Amino acid sequence: MLIKNNDDGFIHPVASEITPPAAYRGRRDLLKAMAAGAAGPVLAAWASREAFAQTQRPGKLAPLPGARSGVAGAVTMEKVTDAKDATSYNNFYEFGTDKGDPAKNAHTLKTAPWSVEVEGLVKKPARYALEDLVKLSAQEERIYRLRCVEGWSMVVPWVGYSLSRLIEKVEPLGNAKFVEFVTLADPKTMPFVGSRVLDWPYVEGLRMDEAMHPLTLLSFGMYGEVLPNQNGAPVRLVVPWKYGFKSAKSLVKIRFTEREPKTAWNKAAANEYGFYSNVNPNVDHPRWSQATERRIGEDGLFAKRRKTLMFNGYEAQVAQLYAGMDLKKNY
Ligand code: MTE
């Protein structure tokens, strides 16, 4: 995106509902330090350890299994990215712009109570409590490639259901042409929402036929568990044939509109981030090539970059949505 990120190479520890032993030790050290009049630096170290200990990682979250999806193209046979990598190397600018920031900072996100407002050009606008939204349709597991505009990719087993299930329930009106996705922007729990890197809230959008496509996933989980905060808890979008930034995290509003929504990245740099943003190895980003990608977890000096595939490999399923369109103009 606009900011250069550094890999932090950090191993993030396990989340725990109970206070971890290290934190007890930390408190004991802190008390000793206070008695000795040297609390300042010890306090800082303790606070960062405490935040670190709350990082959310698969293996410790509530289970959310889904039956393997039967949707065409929904299950790639490629090697799944290690959960540790997919949950510690993230873009979630509300929590910072470095790849390690979301895993370190997103423990402050409050995901309950949570609701999603569905509004705009629909016959049945509604506010769905998360509990009802989760149950609206059967949960499926889909193994999708996700290709970030920055040139890296990963393969993740997501859990959720086709967004079209929700859209059918609310009955869009005939003049609804687009769907806008608005995400949470809470300066109290999201430390970077005050920054000027984007015009908050983070907003994304899809054309109606894209939103209705069976591959477009409303996701509540990954790796068989509820989403960790850093990956967009408690509910996010996953649109596998588009660059990762279209997959908006922590959704609070879904609005049906007649006009193309103004998306956060398009507002920030229209010549770099178009509305469509379909993965396309033949259309370079103005500042770099999109022809190849690095698969997360395949690092090292001799790791080969992979060729990026048209529509991220989902061409058979989605190419007809763009028949006759100039994809160089509509990037
Ligand atoms: N959603 C919100 N609300 N804020 C963000 O900064 N980043 C996007 C997308 N959704 C982003 C967001 C980008 S650039 C990518 S690549 C994906 O989330 C990353 O999802 P992941 O962390 O689960 O890999």
Side-chain angles (χ1 to χ4, degrees):
M1 313 304 284
L2 291 176
I3 286 185
K4 193 176 173 315
N5 296 289
N6 303 316
D7 295 13
D8 66 2
F10 229 33
I11 310 254
H12 296 282
V14 170
S16 181
E17 273 135 48
I18 53 159
T19 310
Y24 284 129
R25 273 199 302 279
R27 283 190 194 120
R28 220 170 42 212
D29 293 349
L30 180 62
L31 290 173
K32 267 197 223 151
M34 280 166 88
V42 181
L43 184 62
W46 177 76
S48 79
R49 262 208 311 274
E50 188 85 319
F52 194 61
Q54 289 176 39
T55 304
Q56 291 192 305
R57 224 175 87 176
K60 289 286 164 189
L61 299 167
L64 182 68
R68 204 34 90 80
S69 178
V71 169
V75 178
T76 170
M77 292 302 163
E78 283 172 276
K79 184 173 175 287
V80 165
T81 299
D82 193 341
K84 178 172 70 59
D85 292 328
T87 58
S88 62
Y89 188 91
N90 302 105
N91 277 332
F92 200 169
Y93 275 20
E94 288 84 337
F95 295 100
T97 54
D98 276 358
K99 298 290 181 247
D101 285 345
K104 268 184 261 169
N105 300 332
H107 60 276
T108 54
L109 177 67
K110 201 169 157 264
T111 56
W114 193 279
S115 63
V116 176
E117 182 104 49
V118 186
E119 60 174 42
L121 304 173
V122 286
K123 227 184 255 170
K124 296 181 175 163
R127 176 187 282 269
Y128 285 89
L130 183 75
E131 298 71 29
D132 298 330
L133 199 60
V134 169
K135 285 186 282 187
L136 190 87
S137 183
Q139 298 287 335
E140 291 185 359
E141 183 173 69
R142 310 219 176 151
I143 305 181
Y144 282 170
R145 281 179 292 275
L146 186 133
R147 165 65 156 84
C148 185
V149 73
E150 295 160 324
W152 50 267
S153 63
M154 57 185 189
V155 176
V156 171
W158 301 103
V159 186
Y161 54 75
S162 292
L163 176 68
S164 63
R165 298 286 183 195
L166 172 63
I167 298 180
E168 282 156 8
K169 275 262 187 286
V170 297
E171 299 182 27
L173 302 174
N175 56 346
K177 303 268 167 24
F178 295 92
V179 190
E180 181 177 54
F181 302 92
V182 183
T183 73
L184 185 71
D186 175 16
K188 287 206 263 343
T189 56
M190 299 173 133
F192 234 69
V193 155
S195 80
R196 289 166 55 188
V197 59
L198 286 174
D199 184 8
W200 311 101
Y202 192 101
V203 170
E204 258 311 329
L206 294 173
R207 213 171 56 187
M208 191 61 132
D209 56 348
E210 298 176 324
M212 285 296 291
H213 193 283
L215 284 176
T216 300
L217 187 71
L218 195 62
S219 175
F220 303 88
M222 63 198 295
Y223 298 92
E225 297 181 356
V226 300
L227 287 170
N229 287 357
Q230 62 267 31
N231 289 87
V235 53
R236 68 174 291 175
L237 206 60
V238 189
V239 193
W241 71 94
K242 293 180 179 279
Y243 290 118
F245 67 90
K246 300 295 288 182
S247 295
K249 294 175 166 180
S250 304
L251 297 173
V252 290
K253 211 171 265 185
I254 299 177
R255 186 185 291 138
F256 291 76
T257 65
E258 191 156 14
R259 296 240 181 108
E260 190 178 286
K262 295 208 181 321
T263 66
W265 279 107
N266 189 249
K267 279 201 272 181
N271 64 325
E272 302 193 1
Y273 309 110
F275 178 77
Y276 285 94
S277 288
N278 293 316
V279 173
N280 189 339
N282 310 315
V283 177
D284 288 340
H285 183 280
R287 291 185 281 140
W288 61 81
S289 162
Q290 294 291 23
T292 63
E293 67 202 51
R294 174 176 72 90
R295 182 64 50 87
I296 298 296
E298 291 180 354
D299 299 324
L301 214 49
F302 303 106
K304 264 189 30 203
R305 288 180 71 88
R306 291 161 180 260
K307 279 199 164 127
T308 289
L309 302 174
M310 189 65 201
F311 296 113
N312 201 22
Y314 298 93
E315 188 167 14
Q317 289 80 33
V318 303
Q320 80 282 358
L321 297 176
Y322 309 102
M325 271 176 76
D326 182 343
L327 296 177
K328 284 209 158 79
K329 271 196 196 134
N330 297 287
Y331 55 91

